[in-house]
Amino acid sequence: MRCTKPKKISGLIYLEDASSGPLPKLSRHSVELLDKCLEGPNVILATTGWNDSNPTKALEARHEELREQWKPFVDRGASVIRLAAPGKTSKEVSHRSEDIFKLVITKAEEMVTAAKRSQWKGKGKVPDDKFLEDARSTDIVIPIMGPTGAGKSTFVNAVANNAFAVVGHNLKSETAQLQPIILQHPNNPARRIIIVDTPGFDDTYAADSEILRRIANWLAQSYSANMTLAGVIYLHEISQARMLGTARKNLDMFNKLCGDAATKNVILATTKWSQVAGGTADRREGQLKDRHWDGMIRLGARMARFTDTHESGWNIIGSILDHMSTSDIDAVEIQKELVEIDMSHDKGKQWKKEVKSDDVFIDDGKAGDLFINNLLGKDVARVGDDLQSETQHIHHYRLPGSSSRVFIVDTPGFDDTSTSDREILRRIAVWMAKSYSSDMKVAGIIYLQEITQTRVTGTMRKNLDMFEKLCGPSAAASIILATSKWSEVKPDVGNRREAQLRDEHWKDMLMDGSKLRRFDSPDAARKIVNEIRARKALDAAQIQSELVDVDKLLAETDAGRTLRYTLKELLEQQKKTATRLREQGGDDIHNQIIENDNKIRSLLGQVNDLKVPLSRKIMRMLGLVKS
């Protein structure tokens, strides 16, 4: 047997017939050879010959003899199992050939994941906790979380039978840093159980953001070291008469840190039972179960009581250890987001998460506006003459008669009839990032404003604000602010409105280098485009630089933050309208209430879509992403 190929094998299955003897022995040379050939300790050692026709006691004896012989492999992480003979049945054995192959593949995938975790760029940072410098892949981690004063340090001391953690008996928080305590595994001396006492939010001295940074960094560092997260214990004082704001905040943050998928690995434990009368405590426990914890319990979380004793603490830990064998969750949400998503992330690719399969970026003239039709000298774009928006996707049209390819891009406006503002921003941002990534240059940007508008409405103001955030101050000199539909107003009225735009609403942009032009004929459209082509092309619009160069999420860009702020203002207005309509009452406004409620739901959805994920905020705290 040789292992001469440079590419290592992912796993190995070794079969030994336990129904025959004498037993051959694997040599030390074989052990060394396997170490060289394997990517990691992915070895399955299986005894065969198990079926009901063979004497069980003899098979058991030989299996144990082989297990002892294979101890050097087991110490390296090999698994020993029993394999039923093909076509045979055995009451003692449940593993079959397909089970072994699945086990090898699963273990190989886990090793690849472990290798990736170990390369997490945050791992190079000095850990907050010296313990992490001695972290082992065999360690089993169980964090203890909950509000300040919930009894986390008391729990740690009870299970450790020692005063490792300082218990607070006054109004000052005692746990300021994460405190890992090493316990001996009750059934496996080769593994350590790491109980981690975590600080609660609303700490006496540390800010919530600092507490969040410490917890997230410790969890990410331990995950990168391939320590196994067996489960999480969340403690709550049964002595609390009601769910206070602090307890509510801690629970909400706990949910975000864990995520839905890991909730089945959570134990929700109540503490301080000795401080409350039995009937009162039982009633509060029922309220926690039915009101505050019901969502987590539906996702698989389990409830328990910690009564300040060593036995009750170990019952909770034992429940987590027993659950490990059936659980397929090895990380909470924040660990996966900080480490695995970060490892799979390539610079400048965050914006691609916004791409949808049905995105349309070019069309055969199904949308557009009057400017494009005048510029191209034919009706390639349908002009909207009613209250329905015509441009809902991004469309671009190539200008004829040019040595280089020149495209005019028609974009939808915000406050579209049928498309949400968040979706409009997404479409524009994706197109801008896609073109920038393909080295297409933005020669200039044309912003059109109807001169027929008697005043600058909230919608017009919002469009202009978003336009400025998309372009950025450095793009001002490449912008043409053009007024349209001059044939529909009297000259003196148009001149007065143009002056208002110039002196009030567009004043800052014009001072930064933007140009004011009139689009009142096909020739005017061509002159505007030629003026832009004569200038130097933009290096990048702000949204392009933010999404591609800085690798921000759409919600982190100036445009994303501005739109979220605007939508929140609109949401508050709609809520006030809802209150007023309900106070008025009456059947005649029933439809108005329904319409208003639909607007609130839509706005709330858009606001939530533009939230920056918790993991990104933490990554920024840890210096793993640019601000």
Side-chain angles (χ1 to χ4, degrees):
M1 179 179 177
R2 294 183 179 181
C3 185
T4 56
K5 293 183 179 180
K7 186 176 181 179
K8 294 185 177 183
I9 59 178
S10 298
L12 183 140
I13 302 170
Y14 180 85
L15 304 179
E16 186 75 62
D17 188 357
S19 65
S20 63
L23 299 175
K25 289 188 177 181
L26 290 175
S27 66
R28 181 180 295 276
H29 173 70
S30 299
V31 176
E32 294 174 352
L33 182 62
L34 286 173
D35 277 346
K36 291 178 181 178
C37 291
L38 290 172
E39 291 283 5
N42 192 13
V43 180
I44 305 295
L45 303 171
T47 55
T48 63
W50 294 87
N51 62 74
D52 290 339
S53 62
N54 288 332
T56 302
K57 287 186 178 180
L59 289 171
E60 287 282 2
R62 290 176 182 174
H63 178 80
E64 291 306 317
E65 188 178 349
L66 283 168
R67 178 187 288 276
E68 184 61 30
Q69 179 190 317
W70 291 339
K71 191 174 183 302
F73 291 94
V74 176
D75 291 343
R76 288 175 169 80
S79 301
V80 179
I81 64 172
R82 303 172 185 183
L83 178 65
K88 302 287 185 178
T89 60
S90 172
K91 297 176 182 177
E92 306 295 328
V93 182
S94 59
H95 290 104
R96 302 196 175 277
S97 300
E98 57 268 27
D99 299 326
I100 293 184
F101 282 109
K102 288 178 182 177
L103 186 59
V104 171
I105 292 170
T106 300
K107 212 167 181 182
E109 290 174 346
E110 288 174 353
M111 289 191 298
V112 171
T113 300
K116 287 182 178 179
R117 288 183 198 168
S118 65
Q119 298 301 315
W120 176 51
K121 64 184 179 183
K123 192 174 183 180
K125 293 181 174 291
V126 177
D128 291 339
D129 188 350
K130 290 292 183 182
F131 167 81
L132 290 169
E133 296 176 1
D134 184 41
R136 305 171 190 176
S137 59
T138 55
D139 286 340
I140 298 171
V141 176
I142 304 177
I144 315 296
M145 303 183 73
T148 297
K152 298 185 292 294
S153 298
T154 302
F155 182 94
V156 170
N157 287 334
V159 297
N161 263 339
N162 206 334
F164 283 108
V166 178
V167 179
H169 296 294
N170 52 33
L171 297 179
K172 176 185 174 184
S173 307
E174 292 295 348
T175 305
Q177 299 288 343
L178 280 80
Q179 300 178 15
I181 306 298
I182 302 174
L183 304 177
Q184 189 68 45
H185 194 292
N187 304 318
N188 188 347
R191 304 196 73 173
R192 304 186 302 178
I193 298 175
I194 314 300
I195 304 294
V196 187
D197 186 8
T198 66
F201 295 95
D202 262 3
D203 187 83
T204 313
Y205 298 112
D208 287 348
S209 59
E210 176 59 18
I211 297 296
L212 178 61
R213 186 198 68 79
R214 292 174 188 172
I215 294 175
N217 190 41
W218 200 99
L219 290 172
Q221 292 275 1
S222 64
Y223 187 56
S224 178
N226 292 298
M227 299 167 73
T228 301
L229 183 76
V232 185
I233 300 170
Y234 182 84
L235 300 183
H236 177 85
E237 295 179 66
I238 202 68
S239 57
Q240 292 284 350
R242 61 184 62 86
M243 180 68 78
L244 300 174
T246 300
R248 183 77 253 173
K249 181 171 67 173
N250 272 271
L251 185 61
D252 290 344
M253 189 60 70
F254 175 75
N255 277 321
K256 290 178 181 178
L257 287 168
C258 290
D260 289 350
T263 303
K264 63 183 179 182
N265 287 22
V266 169
I267 299 287
L268 301 167
T270 46
T271 64
K272 303 189 179 182
W273 281 80
S274 62
Q275 299 181 15
V276 188
T280 301
D282 290 340
R283 185 174 66 255
R284 290 175 185 171
E285 185 182 45
Q287 290 173 345
L288 288 170
K289 179 182 178 181
D290 298 334
R291 297 180 190 176
H292 306 292
W293 292 350
D294 58 321
M296 299 184 71
I297 291 171
R298 283 198 300 270
L299 292 171
R302 291 156 289 153
M303 290 184 66
R305 294 181 181 183
F306 171 58
T307 56
D308 294 346
T309 65
H310 177 79
E311 182 181 7
S312 68
W314 269 101
N315 284 341
I316 293 172
I317 292 174
S319 176
I320 289 177
L321 296 179
D322 292 341
H323 193 64
M324 278 182 64
S325 59
T326 59
S327 173
D328 57 355
I329 303 295
D330 67 340
V332 291
E333 188 71 17
I334 198 67
Q335 290 177 306
K336 290 185 288 187
E337 288 181 339
L338 288 179
V339 180
E340 290 191 0
I341 294 178
D342 181 53
M343 284 306 303
S344 63
H345 142 85
D346 295 323
K347 177 175 167 53
K349 298 297 185 293
Q350 290 290 328
W351 65 269
K352 287 192 173 181
K353 296 174 183 176
E354 296 287 345
V355 176
K356 294 182 180 178
S357 59
D358 60 347
D359 278 338
V360 178
F361 294 129
I362 190 166
D363 198 276
D364 295 326
K366 292 180 182 177
D369 64 9
L370 188 62
F371 184 92
I372 292 174
N373 290 341
N374 275 266
L375 181 65
L376 299 180
K378 56 183 178 180
D379 291 339
V380 297
R382 190 169 66 204
V383 179
D385 293 318
D386 54 23
L387 298 178
Q388 183 72 23
S389 305
E390 292 294 344
T391 303
Q392 295 167 359
H393 290 281
I394 307 292
H395 305 270
H396 55 267
Y397 305 86
R398 184 176 178 179
L399 290 182
S402 176
S403 57
S404 58
R405 299 202 307 168
V406 178
F407 292 94
I408 301 295
V409 183
D410 184 18
T411 65
F414 293 94
D415 237 14
D416 187 83
T417 315
S418 57
T419 309
S420 71
D421 287 344
R422 200 278 179 195
E423 175 61 15
I424 295 296
L425 175 61
R426 185 198 67 80
R427 291 176 185 175
I428 294 173
V430 167
W431 195 94
M432 296 285 278
K434 189 179 180 74
S435 62
Y436 184 57
S437 296
S438 301
D439 293 325
M440 296 173 67
K441 295 290 185 181
V442 176
I445 304 167
I446 303 169
Y447 182 85
L448 293 176
Q449 170 70 51
E450 295 178 30
I451 202 67
T452 54
Q453 292 286 347
T454 58
R455 65 182 61 86
V456 175
T457 62
T459 298
M460 292 164 60
R461 185 70 252 174
K462 181 171 66 175
N463 271 278
L464 185 60
D465 288 344
M466 291 302 301
F467 175 74
E468 291 186 67
K469 297 300 181 181
L470 286 166
C471 297
S474 62
S478 301
I479 292 173
I480 298 288
L481 301 168
T483 49
S484 62
K485 298 191 177 182
W486 280 84
S487 62
E488 298 180 21
V489 296
K490 294 179 179 180
D492 60 326
V493 174
N495 291 336
R496 186 172 65 252
R497 291 175 184 170
E498 184 184 48
Q500 289 175 338
L501 289 170
R502 181 189 64 227
D503 299 337
E504 297 177 26
H505 306 290
W506 292 349
K507 180 180 179 181
D508 292 340
M509 296 182 70
L510 291 170
M511 290 180 64
D512 288 336
S514 299
K515 303 298 181 185
L516 176 63
R517 298 289 182 264
R518 291 185 182 183
F519 161 50
D520 52 11
S521 66
D523 186 55
R526 287 189 287 272
K527 284 182 178 179
I528 289 172
V529 171
N530 288 335
E531 182 179 350
I532 288 175
R533 292 179 63 185
R535 300 175 183 173
K536 181 183 177 182
L538 264 174
D539 289 331
Q542 181 164 305
I543 191 72
Q544 293 176 312
S545 180
E546 287 178 311
L547 291 176
V548 181
D549 295 332
V550 185
D551 200 23
K552 289 185 176 182
L553 298 175
L554 181 58
E556 295 174 306
T557 64
D558 275 0
R561 289 199 300 266
T562 299
L563 179 57
R564 186 166 188 269
Y565 177 77
T566 303
L567 290 171
K568 286 178 74 174
E569 287 187 324
L570 291 173
L571 181 60
E572 290 305 312
Q573 292 175 16
Q574 294 299 142
K575 287 180 178 178
K576 290 178 181 177
T577 301
T579 301
R580 178 173 51 79
L581 289 173
R582 284 181 169 82
E583 287 175 350
Q584 290 177 4
D587 296 334
D588 55 329
I589 63 168
H590 178 68
N591 291 335
Q592 293 182 50
I593 292 175
I594 293 175
E595 181 182 353
N596 193 72
D597 287 347
N598 289 334
K599 288 180 180 179
I600 288 175
R601 280 192 289 272
S602 174
L603 287 169
L604 189 59
Q606 293 182 67
V607 169
N608 289 334
D609 283 345
L610 286 168
K611 281 184 178 178
V612 177
L614 177 65
S615 58
R616 289 286 291 189
K617 295 178 181 178
I618 296 171
M619 289 174 76
R620 194 179 298 121
M621 290 180 195
L622 299 176
L624 301 180
V625 294
K626 296 179 181 178
S627 299

